[in-house]
Amino acid sequence: LLELPLDKYEAVELDLGCGKGSFSTALAKKFPQRLILGADVMIGRLKKLQKRNERENVTNMLLLRSEAKNLLGYMIGDGVLKRIHLLCPDPWPKGRHRGNRLLCSDFVIKIHRVLAENGEFHFSSDDEYYHNAVRRVIELSNLFDPVAPDADLNAIKSDFELRWNEQGKAVHHLWYRKRKL
């Protein structure tokens, strides 16, 4: 398990698949009292994010190079995270690729486990089919309740969302709160 300085921060949030990290950095600046975890498998993206944070004097972020299933499955303890953001992951739209999708019933259970009581899961995708498939998986799990989007975070966009918006594509967001079992 990761040793996180939990006593130093009011809460911990995870940007899963943070990419170059414009969303992560903006989140860290907006909530300096929180520890922001930026996780990605691509070392080049994490290095760019590290340089950005050094330039912008962001000190409340921890970068993690990890595959998402391992990070949530083994590395983060129960009930640690206030919020998880999974923004514009690869939808793997072809039928033969669907087994590569991250969001499945097994992964939804991992999300539920690492979220604190009343913790939130924020998902977005430019792929409407994937967006609807994720909504079905989450709702069928009976582990989460839909909630209104966090108004403070609506203005913060990920690098991918900015790119899709420039191309005229809509990005669809889902927000859920952990259901107490």
Side-chain angles (χ1 to χ4, degrees):
L1 288 174
L2 289 170
E3 293 293 328
L4 299 174
L6 300 178
D7 56 335
K8 184 177 173 185
Y9 297 97
E10 80 170 20
V12 182
E13 292 195 35
L14 170 62
D15 184 5
L16 190 57
C18 64
K20 296 176 198 168
S22 62
F23 179 85
S24 304
T25 299
L27 189 64
K29 289 171 132 181
K30 186 166 196 65
F31 300 106
Q33 70 283 13
R34 296 182 186 169
L35 176 62
I36 307 303
L37 304 177
D40 207 293
V41 294
M42 305 294 285
I43 192 71
R45 291 177 179 171
L46 291 171
K47 285 181 179 180
K48 287 179 182 180
L49 177 51
Q50 181 178 6
K51 287 179 184 174
R52 171 187 281 144
N53 287 342
E54 288 169 359
R55 258 190 336 269
E56 298 186 27
N57 199 29
V58 172
T59 59
N60 60 322
M61 188 182 302
L62 177 63
L63 301 181
L64 306 168
R65 183 177 187 206
S66 179
E67 193 274 330
K69 291 177 185 175
N70 290 332
L71 182 62
L72 295 191
Y74 311 107
M75 297 173 67
I76 296 178
D78 295 354
V80 169
L81 302 175
K82 175 182 180 59
R83 194 177 284 139
I84 297 172
H85 306 274
L86 181 57
L87 308 177
C88 296
D90 191 336
W92 295 97
K94 295 179 182 174
R96 67 180 184 269
H97 293 152
R98 288 202 178 121
N100 296 328
R101 286 183 177 164
L102 185 58
L103 265 291
C104 63
S105 56
D106 179 58
F107 194 71
V108 170
I109 292 167
K110 292 174 184 178
I111 292 170
H112 188 271
R113 182 188 67 78
V114 299
L115 282 174
E117 187 174 330
N118 293 315
E120 294 181 351
F121 175 58
H122 173 206
F123 173 84
S124 72
S125 179
D126 67 304
D127 186 284
E128 192 168 355
Y129 180 84
Y130 188 33
H131 170 266
N132 290 332
V134 167
R135 179 176 38 229
R136 282 191 304 275
V137 167
I138 291 173
E139 290 175 0
L140 287 172
S141 76
N142 289 316
L143 296 173
F144 298 90
D145 293 312
V147 294
D150 186 310
D152 287 337
L153 297 177
N154 276 347
I156 304 174
K157 308 287 184 195
S158 71
D159 296 305
F160 289 109
E161 184 167 1
L162 291 169
R163 184 182 329 156
W164 300 147
N165 290 161
E166 287 172 4
Q167 295 175 13
K169 292 183 181 179
V171 175
H172 312 280
H173 291 261
L174 297 171
W175 286 85
Y176 291 95
R177 181 166 290 129
K178 177 180 178 173
R179 184 178 287 170
K180 190 172 183 175
L181 299 180

